[in-house]
Amino acid sequence: MKELRDLATKLLAEGTVNVVLGWEEGPRGVRPAFATDAAAAGRLVFDPRCTQNLVPYLSPRRTQVKKLGKAAVVVKGCDARAVAGLVRETQLAREDVVVIGVRCGGVIADPASPEPLSPATVADRCPGCNSREPKLADHTVGELPAAPPGESRRDVRIADLEARTADERWAFWQDELGRCVRCHACREACPMCFCERCVADKTQPQWVDSSPHPRGAFAWNVTRALHLAGRCVDCGECERACPVDIPLGLLNLKLARVASERFGYTATDDPAVPSPVGSFQKDDAQEFIL
Amino acid sequence: MARIGVFVCHCGENIGRTVDCARVAGEIGKLPGVVHSVDYKYMCSDPGQALIKQAIAEKGLTGVVVSACSPHMHERTFRRAAGGAGLNPFLCEMANIREHCSWIHEDREAATDKAIDLARVIVEKVKRNVPLETIRIPVEKRALVIGGGIAGIQAALDLADGGAEVVLVEKEPSIGGHMSQLSETFPTLDCSQCILTPRMVEVYQHPRIRLMAYCEVDAVEGYIGNFKVTIRQKARSVDETKCNGCGACQKACVVKNVPSEFDERLGKRTAIYVPFPQAVPNIPVIDREHCAYFKGRARGMKKDACGKCKEACARGAIDFAQEDRFVTEKVGAIVVATGYELYSIGKDQPAAGLKGYGEYGYGTVPDVIDGLQFERLASASGPTAGKLLRPSDGKVPKKIVFLQCVGSRDPAKGIDYCSKVCCMYVAKHTMLYRHKVHDGEATVFYMDVRAAGKGYDEFTRRAVEEDGAVYVRGRVSRVYRDGDVVKVLGFDTLNGTPVEIDADMVVLATAMRPRKGIEKLAQTLSVSYDRHGFINEAHPKLRPVETNTAGVFVAGACQAPRDIPDSVAMASAAAAKVLGLFSNEMLEREPTVARVDAALCAGCFHCERVCPYGAVEHKEVRDRKGNLLKVVADVNPGVCQGCGTCQATCPSKSVELMGFTDEQIYAEVNALAL
Ligand SMILES: Cc1cc2nc3c(=O)[nH]c(=O)nc-3n(C[C@H](O)[C@H](O)[C@H](O)COP(=O)(O)OP(=O)(O)OC[C@H]3O[C@@H](n4cnc5c(N)ncnc54)[C@H](O)[C@@H]3O)c2cc1C
Ligand code: SF4
Ligand code: SF4
Ligand code: SF4
């Protein structure tokens, strides 16, 4: 903790950055912090409650942080993939941000909960994580803690869904997506949803029905999932933001696996790896082209 | 409010037989916004077009739909007619009720219903069409010719004589290509250099040709009419502006045993050299790999190991410190004429599919040579001053065996095509041989003799009838050195007997292949090539010297094996094409190109990555004070081919193809579905 605070203070003091994005203690667990001076830097924390991905604040669509000047951002391994995603898709110049990596032993699903990290409270994406130490970082702080507790619940759920018939899966998603209220919180929380004008907001023509009935909800969620296929960095923010608890992570993870199996692309924190959209290899599967 | 006119064509019986055109016109006439709907026997005929023009004038149409054949056939016709009546041509569209309907259906009722649907869809589209303006782009009236063989020389001269400025880039120190290595040429047996060198000099002296020898094309940007080419001038180590070609440096050079490329390694040259006496330009280069000075440097020697040429040069032209330089040239068209090389008879093959000839000794038998080596031995300017002497011991060969189709027409060795010129030059070789060695015996192993061409068959017959060449139909299974002779074991397939010959020398007519590195050049130019590396023409019959990239043309043996007459004809054809292009002040392009909405574009540049034509560029968006707000995609309408890939890829649908916008397509789909 001291290492993190000292580094933030130093970066601010020497004028390398104008603001450090991190986490601090809030009234309900930790909350995002935008430290612009030594006092604020001294309040930064990192522990398993720092579930939130702060990288969406760096997307050019959100100008609040940009107004403060050059930023440093504290990232976990999963968040670093979002930085790489923005760099890869020309939303952020790598030299415009200082990346402070923290070594991570898993976070809890609900950062407001007072429960400690345990197999029951751990966030879905953490068990089995292989990027607990961000490679894309200018500074890396902390000791590497023990691996996240528990086992992946998502593997079991995806296997369960895969075992069902198409009709059963259809019914499952009708039920899940049918709850969507079209608040678009998932989009706002997503680091990779950086479009100026989302296709769902396009009116001429209106590709995506805007009303919150099942057809519109389906069109929206399927469009979003497809636009994120292989681009999703698996930070879990959409699912955490959803007020009606739709398991968006399952949809994204399934598509990420398809992108990996079919096109050999896995979300990584190396911005030099080309985006799966717009790149191709000669041996890409293409039997779907008639 | 839209005022659409619909014109349903019978196409004689072609449509009328299966589709009730009157019913189509009647039904479509009832659609909202359609104010005029008629059918007629031949819409594309003069009276048919007059119907359209008249309706536009009288009814004040805002859009026209012609329900007829494929737009590939007559879209231009009808758009021109609409334009003639004062309507923007892009407000006129065709519904294809022939190829897509009458020709593929039999049931008249159902076909008529479908024709109504097809026309209705296009009516809905046309309602949303907007006027588009033809794109005009200026033409840079200079041409780049890549390769200074006979093809490149001819193209450059024809272009320059036609009034165009030409930049001729040749990678070797001199132009001339393979033709400069030949002794005499079929089918007339005139001396190759005698007919070539005047052209080389003409290139050099032509006021409109900029000759850039010892240069290579590094990068190409832009598009037809507006290419920007980066050319690398390789370091000659000799200052071109000072050198007067006196040759003192070459006499002084201490390294005298470098195998000469020009003499196909049968002769020697110095480290500072011009490839041959008539070289153009007559300016030497230092071969840094063999030069004692540079070798010393490479070994890290403190003291300069040599410098004799520098001492010898009275004009101070030797410049050891020279480095590669880069120049950019703007040109409107490019002619590729990089020629060929021969299938290697050695063990090392440049591509995996090529196998080489272990059975002929992999080039290890000194008296087994290839065709170009024979040319050098027969040439007056060659290493033996035109005396036919075999490489191993310098004796006059009394028996030469020529093997045709070595590498060619032999899929097992990696090449299935015919190299086209070998039958002819082997016949030539047998004649040259007999003219020099009167009692020499020439035996040719052949698969068949392909001598199609003016005077060609007569030529090969002359070899047999007048110069006594013996042609044996069959293949040779083995060639090996046996003491003083080269043993040739073959099979005469006409007699059905094995043949064994003790030859003094064997000449392999090896296949013609495209130049090493052609793939990279083709990729730089975005032109396609076949699996052997030969540049693809746009159409094998109708567009033989164009490539699939507009503004890039091809001539000579880089397109396929070609002899000199073919290469020259192609070069002149390419030059004519370029001059035709240059006769326009502006190039006209269809305005169906992509356009980015800068206000909405998020600058992810997925469109740039997917665009097959490199049409997407970056554009800065600034506020009034000049502060950079964002960088967005911008489509260069001169390069865009209107394929629509960007439109399909853009996640936020911020780029649209003019004439095929989402709104238009959506309206079409809705017209069908609702
Ligand atoms: C043994 C033999 C005998 C022949 N005899 C005859 C004959 O008697 N009569 C006849 O009609 N034909 C004959 N031919 C065929 C003749 O050689 C060709 O038709 C002719 O040379 C083709 O000319 P070209 O300009 O296309 O290619 P080339 O002569 O190969 O010239 C290509 C030029 O381009 C240059 N170049 C290559 N790559 C690049 C690059 N990337 N950048 C810049 N420059 C480049 C090369 O250095 C070369 O100068 C013979 C061929 C052989 C092999
Ligand atoms: S956050 Fe949930 S409810 Fe809101 S739009 Fe996304 S999926 Fe629908
Ligand atoms: S894909 Fe769309 S949003 Fe991305 S740069 Fe191109 S036009 Fe802009
Ligand atoms: S329409 Fe095709 S050619 Fe034109 S910019 Fe888009 S992808 Fe490139």
Side-chain angles (χ1 to χ4, degrees):
Chain A
M1 207 91 90
K2 179 164 185 312
E3 198 185 351
L4 173 64
R5 290 173 181 170
D6 288 351
L7 176 62
T9 312
K10 176 166 159 271
L11 290 173
L12 288 168
E14 58 189 26
T16 312
V17 300
N18 305 94
V19 57
V20 179
L21 271 69
W23 302 270
E24 66 185 7
E25 216 56 68
R28 288 177 68 236
V30 296
R31 65 180 179 193
F34 305 87
T36 52
D37 55 29
R43 289 196 297 270
L44 293 180
V45 298
F46 179 69
D47 59 41
R49 295 168 305 154
C50 298
T51 311
Q52 182 172 353
N53 178 1
L54 303 171
V55 177
Y57 289 113
L58 298 176
S59 131
R61 196 153 65 84
R62 287 119 181 154
T63 50
Q64 301 89 336
V65 172
K66 204 173 186 181
K67 283 192 191 122
L68 298 174
K70 183 164 176 176
V73 63
V74 187
V75 297
K76 308 180 289 293
C78 44
D79 309 337
R81 293 194 292 263
V83 176
L86 291 180
V87 172
R88 182 178 300 128
E89 301 192 12
T90 25
Q91 299 303 300
L92 179 68
R94 179 64 187 87
E95 59 276 14
D96 285 352
V97 62
V98 174
V99 180
I100 304 173
V102 284
R103 297 187 177 90
C104 174
V107 290
I108 54 180
D110 175 9
S113 118
E115 300 289 326
L117 184 66
S118 74
T121 61
V122 69
D124 264 352
R125 66 180 180 286
C126 295
C129 170
N130 57 8
S131 52
R132 299 195 292 122
E133 186 169 336
K135 288 190 284 295
L136 175 90
D138 300 300
H139 310 274
T140 311
V141 299
E143 298 286 315
L144 187 65
E151 272 168 37
S152 167
R153 295 180 283 263
R154 302 192 300 185
D155 286 348
V156 181
R157 294 193 69 185
I158 287 187
D160 166 46
L161 278 174
E162 282 170 345
R164 300 188 194 189
T165 65
D167 284 343
E168 286 166 349
R169 283 201 295 272
W170 175 250
F172 172 83
W173 286 113
Q174 285 264 313
D175 186 37
E176 292 289 346
L177 301 179
R179 291 201 302 281
C180 173
V181 294
R182 298 303 294 279
C183 65
H184 294 167
C186 46
R187 179 175 83 192
E188 297 314 304
C190 175
M192 297 310 289
C193 269
F194 49 66
C195 282
E196 292 258 338
R197 191 263 338 253
C198 176
V199 66
D201 297 338
K202 184 170 178 165
T203 52
Q204 265 189 327
Q206 187 171 64
W207 288 114
V208 184
D209 194 331
S210 62
S211 47
H213 60 55
R215 197 178 66 195
F218 234 84
W220 156 243
N221 279 287
V222 169
T223 304
R224 196 184 104 82
L226 285 175
H227 279 195
L228 284 161
R231 293 174 63 243
C232 167
V233 298
D234 194 16
C235 64
E237 286 301 281
C238 51
E239 189 165 320
R240 210 167 62 82
C242 181
V244 292
D245 294 331
I246 297 174
L248 294 167
L250 284 186
L251 209 50
N252 291 338
L253 184 65
K254 173 66 192 169
L255 281 169
R257 290 194 179 159
V258 172
S260 155
E261 280 158 23
R262 304 279 301 189
F263 302 106
Y265 178 87
T266 341
T268 146
D269 67 357
D270 178 359
V273 174
S275 159
V277 179
S279 60
F280 68 94
Q281 260 123 33
K282 275 201 192 142
D283 52 1
D284 276 352
Q286 49 178 280
E287 76 283 355
F288 50 85
I289 299 173
L290 293 175
Chain B
M1 184 59 198
R3 297 178 62 78
I4 310 290
V6 181
F7 302 85
V8 185
C9 179
H10 296 238
C11 193
E13 282 284 281
N14 272 306
I15 297 172
R17 187 188 305 124
T18 344
V19 170
D20 179 348
C21 296
R23 180 152 84 86
V24 176
E27 287 299 319
I28 295 293
K30 295 181 197 156
L31 293 178
V34 176
V35 296
H36 184 78
S37 186
V38 292
D39 61 304
Y40 186 69
K41 196 115 186 137
Y42 289 110
M43 273 302 165
C44 59
S45 67
D46 256 2
Q49 294 184 44
L51 283 180
I52 299 175
K53 290 187 189 169
Q54 197 185 346
I56 293 174
E58 287 174 3
K59 305 233 167 144
L61 299 184
T62 59
V64 166
V65 174
V66 186
S67 279
C69 52
S70 158
H72 277 299
M73 310 301 298
H74 273 306
E75 191 178 73
R76 270 164 176 258
T77 313
F78 295 119
R79 286 194 164 163
R80 233 181 267 135
L87 191 71
N88 182 287
F90 296 92
L91 300 174
C92 168
E93 299 259 4
M94 293 184 73
N96 182 353
I97 59 167
R98 193 178 74 176
E99 286 86 339
H100 286 181
C101 190
S102 71
W103 277 1
I104 50 169
H105 298 301
E106 281 166 5
D107 181 334
R108 190 170 164 87
E109 271 309 291
T112 305
D113 288 342
K114 178 170 169 183
I116 294 170
D117 278 345
L118 289 171
R120 192 179 54 206
V121 159
I122 301 297
V123 167
E124 287 310 316
K125 170 162 195 245
V126 169
K127 282 185 187 169
R128 287 156 184 86
N129 274 18
V130 291
L132 298 175
E133 292 308 323
T134 301
I135 297 168
R136 275 169 238 280
I137 38 179
V139 188
E140 184 77 42
K141 296 188 179 179
R142 306 176 77 224
L144 168 73
V145 177
I146 308 174
I150 184 58
I153 290 174
Q154 182 72 33
L157 287 174
D158 284 353
L159 280 164
D161 287 343
E165 297 275 333
V166 180
V167 181
L168 174 58
V169 171
E170 165 59 56
K171 75 173 171 30
E172 297 298 327
S174 168
I175 56 171
H178 284 115
M179 191 174 164
S180 62
Q181 294 176 287
L182 306 182
S183 67
E184 270 85 37
T185 54
F186 66 74
T188 46
L189 286 192
D190 41 359
C191 146
S192 188
Q193 295 224 343
C194 310
I195 55 176
L196 176 66
T197 48
R199 304 239 147 163
M200 293 166 58
V201 174
E202 214 184 313
V203 164
Y204 196 55
Q205 292 173 339
H206 206 295
R208 277 189 292 276
I209 298 180
R210 172 159 187 213
L211 172 58
M212 300 187 69
Y214 212 47
C215 291
E216 269 171 62
V217 171
D218 220 60
V220 176
E221 285 170 48
Y223 48 93
I224 179 168
N226 298 273
F227 293 105
K228 200 174 106 201
V229 186
T230 310
I231 299 165
R232 187 158 57 94
Q233 272 188 301
K234 299 183 277 188
R236 270 185 188 263
S237 315
V238 174
D239 185 337
E240 296 93 335
T241 59
K242 292 185 185 153
C243 170
N244 66 356
C246 70
C249 52
Q250 295 172 64
K251 284 199 203 84
C253 183
V254 298
V255 183
K256 298 197 187 296
N257 58 352
V258 186
S260 155
E261 296 83 359
F262 183 76
D263 280 335
E264 294 292 333
R265 295 166 311 283
L266 294 176
K268 304 266 185 267
R269 62 163 171 84
T270 45
I272 183 166
Y273 72 108
V274 291
F276 53 105
Q278 303 96 317
V280 168
N282 183 24
I283 300 169
V285 298
I286 293 184
D287 165 3
R288 293 190 173 180
E289 193 191 324
H290 292 101
C291 164
Y293 174 94
F294 284 101
K295 274 167 105 174
R297 275 290 173 90
R299 257 186 261 119
M301 284 165 64
K302 291 260 156 43
K303 219 171 119 263
D304 287 342
C306 184
K308 291 273 187 272
C309 52
K310 193 167 183 160
E311 286 162 30
C313 180
R315 300 174 63 92
I318 308 292
D319 178 4
F320 291 122
Q322 209 178 58
E323 284 179 6
D324 289 4
R325 281 161 294 169
F326 291 89
V327 251
T328 53
E329 292 281 352
K330 286 195 74 179
V331 296
I334 299 175
V335 179
V336 189
T338 52
Y340 69 97
E341 61 188 36
L342 289 185
Y343 187 99
S344 162
I345 62 173
K347 191 158 195 158
D348 287 335
Q349 292 293 334
L354 304 176
K355 298 280 184 296
Y357 280 84
E359 57 270 48
Y360 302 163
Y362 280 133
T364 53
V365 185
D367 293 326
V368 177
I369 61 174
D370 71 19
L372 280 173
Q373 289 178 314
F374 186 89
E375 295 284 343
R376 294 317 298 146
L377 290 182
S379 171
S381 70
T384 53
K387 284 204 199 65
L388 231 128
L389 307 173
R390 65 180 198 173
S392 61
D393 52 11
K395 273 204 237 143
V396 177
K398 295 289 179 189
K399 256 189 208 170
I400 303 187
V401 173
F402 295 88
L403 310 190
Q404 291 196 176
C405 298
V406 176
S408 311
R409 304 172 68 196
D410 193 351
K413 299 290 187 188
I415 293 178
D416 40 16
Y417 58 82
C418 163
S419 288
K420 199 174 178 209
V421 300
C422 331
C423 288
M424 288 301 293
Y425 75 62
V426 168
K428 175 182 77 174
H429 288 173
T430 65
M431 288 153 93
L432 295 179
Y433 174 46
R434 276 292 277 261
H435 297 173
K436 286 178 192 285
V437 183
H438 300 303
D439 59 345
E441 278 175 39
T443 310
V444 179
F445 280 88
Y446 71 105
M447 293 221 259
D448 32 26
V449 174
R450 299 184 164 179
K454 190 170 174 179
Y456 281 22
D457 199 54
E458 298 89 314
F459 183 80
T460 52
R461 298 180 64 116
R462 224 170 91 201
V464 178
E465 290 162 10
E466 291 175 27
D467 289 313
V470 178
Y471 273 66
V472 180
R473 190 176 196 282
R475 305 228 45 180
V476 166
S477 57
R478 221 180 134 206
V479 170
Y480 60 97
R481 196 172 188 176
D482 187 7
D484 203 24
V485 301
V486 184
K487 269 257 193 266
V488 178
L489 307 183
F491 195 83
D492 181 336
T493 52
L494 293 182
N495 286 341
T497 49
V499 188
E500 186 181 326
I501 300 177
D502 287 347
D504 295 319
M505 193 161 100
V506 171
V507 182
L508 307 179
T510 47
M512 275 167 111
R513 298 190 52 251
R515 292 268 176 175
K516 221 185 341 297
I518 184 84
E519 287 91 350
K520 187 159 168 282
L521 180 68
Q523 285 159 12
T524 307
L525 295 164
S526 311
V527 299
S528 65
Y529 46 90
D530 67 17
R531 65 195 172 85
H532 304 289
F534 287 115
I535 304 287
N536 281 337
E537 65 281 11
H539 188 286
K541 278 155 280 185
L542 301 179
R543 296 167 68 196
V545 296
E546 288 155 82
T547 67
N548 60 338
T549 295
V552 182
F553 302 85
V554 61
C558 61
Q559 180 260 354
R562 297 279 173 206
D563 60 14
I564 297 166
D566 279 359
S567 302
V568 170
M570 281 184 88
S572 291
K577 282 278 169 197
V578 174
L579 290 172
L581 173 69
F582 288 179
S583 67
N584 304 296
E585 283 310 318
M586 292 279 185
L587 292 181
E588 293 205 341
R589 305 251 354 245
E590 290 260 306
T592 42
V593 294
R595 196 182 290 162
V596 176
D597 186 335
L600 300 178
C601 170
C604 64
F605 297 107
H606 288 322
C607 50
E608 181 187 25
R609 284 184 281 271
V610 297
C611 175
Y613 302 97
V616 181
E617 299 170 353
H618 294 207
K619 186 173 88 179
E620 295 186 340
V621 180
R622 295 181 179 274
D623 65 11
R624 280 202 209 132
K625 292 196 205 101
N627 300 318
L628 182 64
L629 295 179
K630 59 177 182 175
V631 181
V632 297
D634 192 34
V635 174
N636 184 327
V639 191
C640 173
Q641 301 291 317
C643 68
T645 310
C646 55
Q647 185 177 24
T649 305
C650 177
S652 65
K653 298 282 163 261
S654 302
V655 53
E656 295 255 38
L657 193 56
M658 296 297 101
F660 298 91
T661 62
D662 279 0
E663 201 187 344
Q664 289 164 337
I665 305 295
Y666 203 77
E668 290 190 39
V669 176
N670 271 347
L672 262 192
L674 302 178

